Amino acid sequence: MTPGNSGASTPEDDDPFGYLYADGQANGAQPPTGGYGYPGSVNRVRAVGERQYGQQQAPAGYGQVPQQGYGQQPNPHYAAPETAPGGAPQTRQSPPGGGRGRGPNTKGLLIGAIAVVAAVVIGITIAMMNGDSKNDDTAGNQPSAGASASQSAGPDPSGGDKAPQELPKSDAQLLSLSPDMSTSKEVPGAQSEGGLYVVGLNQPGAQVTWTLNNIPKSGDYTVFVRYGVPGEDAKTTLTVNGTEVGRKLNMANFAGAEKGDWEHGWQNTYAWISLNEGKNTISVSCQDGDQCNAYLDQFWLKAGKVTS
């Protein structure tokens, strides 16, 4: 290169901006085709932001006004703030919830829910307090629940809720005996008080009567008789309120005692009868055709027709 020449001939004197001057252009200086200092890294000049990823872009003319910053996220619909109508920059909207792209503000929702629950609890408490005050004001004019319950639990004046009464039971010494009859305690095993039992039933016309004064209501009952036989069967006549019962009172040797063994001949029998409310009489007697060789120990009643 000729001294004083400002062209582009030698590398050390190469002026990258020589093509901008008239003498450089006269000496053949050309605009660079690669990136300065990085040959071939950029094939052509592009407007900043013009390149769109995934699309074939047309080369921008040299000196073209840039439309989009180089290296931004691809968005073909993006426009610079200056290009918005009116030329004023637009404010970018924050994502819902106010938190950098996160979901709804759950903390705020939780605080709001707690506040609502607290308000409901306070309202219920105030209502209950007002209700207690009203009850206190009217307590003198209305019966309390406790009073009603106590009155209901009391006895019914009409007698509809009578408590169950224990049915009577009689030992031998409390029975009414006909003449020539008596009590004894020679044979062990009787359950009446003092071990007493009735003897003398084996005479024609002999009779034992049990008087009941407090039968609670009319109806069916079962009379039980404890007796003893000397290892042989017996049967007697049963009378209720002066009327003979259709069947004989069975006093068989159910215990299976040996003949003549009074001690092991104690056992029970029963009969179904009808009684009236109030006073009644039950009699066991020895009539014609009966087998009356038996001792009598106790009498008792049970309601209804039962067997034990």
Side-chain angles (χ1 to χ4, degrees):
M1 178 178 178
T2 305
N5 188 1
S6 58
S9 299
T10 60
E12 62 272 15
D13 294 328
D14 188 12
D15 183 355
F17 300 103
Y19 66 92
L20 297 176
Y21 305 98
D23 55 352
Q25 294 175 4
N27 291 321
Q30 297 294 328
T33 59
Y36 180 70
Y38 301 92
S41 61
V42 178
N43 293 329
R44 59 180 57 89
V45 178
R46 296 178 185 272
V48 176
E50 181 187 30
R51 169 177 256 174
Q52 296 184 355
Y53 292 89
Q55 298 182 9
Q56 183 66 33
Q57 299 293 331
Y62 179 77
Q64 185 177 0
V65 178
Q67 298 297 322
Q68 184 175 3
Y70 180 79
Q72 288 185 328
Q73 293 294 328
N75 185 355
H77 302 292
Y78 175 80
E82 296 82 357
T83 64
Q90 295 181 349
T91 304
R92 186 176 183 181
Q93 298 294 329
S94 299
R100 301 180 181 177
R102 296 178 297 178
N105 191 345
T106 56
K107 182 176 181 181
L109 294 177
L110 178 60
I111 294 174
I114 293 175
V116 171
V117 172
V120 172
V121 172
I122 293 173
I124 292 175
T125 303
I126 294 174
M128 293 178 64
M129 293 176 63
N130 292 336
D132 292 341
S133 299
K134 292 181 180 179
N135 290 336
D136 292 340
D137 294 339
T138 59
N141 299 325
Q142 298 180 359
S144 64
S148 299
S150 300
Q151 292 173 3
S152 299
D156 185 355
S158 65
D161 294 333
K162 290 182 179 179
Q165 297 182 3
E166 185 177 356
L167 295 175
K169 182 176 183 179
S170 179
D171 287 345
Q173 63 268 31
L174 301 178
L175 300 173
S176 297
L177 307 178
S178 63
D180 300 330
M181 296 187 70
S182 62
T183 59
S184 176
K185 57 179 180 179
E186 293 182 3
V187 178
Q191 295 181 356
S192 293
E193 184 178 356
L196 294 174
Y197 52 89
V198 175
V199 297
L201 184 63
N202 55 349
Q203 306 174 52
Q207 179 174 291
V208 174
T209 301
W210 181 26
T211 301
L212 306 97
N213 295 314
N214 298 308
I215 298 301
K217 63 180 180 179
S218 300
D220 294 330
Y221 292 84
T222 302
V223 59
F224 290 87
V225 177
R226 190 169 193 269
Y227 66 96
V229 292
E232 59 185 18
D233 294 338
K235 61 180 180 179
T236 58
T237 299
L238 180 65
T239 303
V240 177
N241 295 327
T243 302
E244 291 185 8
V245 177
R247 298 178 61 182
K248 297 293 184 178
L249 182 62
N250 189 1
M251 303 173 71
N253 182 26
F254 299 116
E258 297 290 335
K259 189 174 180 64
D261 184 3
W262 287 93
E263 182 177 355
H264 295 95
W266 296 107
Q267 52 219 296
N268 300 333
T269 189
Y270 67 91
W272 293 337
I273 60 175
S274 295
L275 297 177
N276 302 321
E277 182 178 355
K279 186 176 181 179
N280 294 265
T281 59
I282 300 174
S283 299
V284 175
S285 63
C286 186
Q287 304 296 329
D288 292 340
D290 292 345
Q291 299 171 3
C292 307
N293 193 20
Y295 297 155
L296 299 177
D297 184 10
Q298 292 177 320
F299 285 51
W300 67 94
L301 280 179
K302 286 188 177 182
K305 296 181 177 181
V306 298
T307 58
S308 61

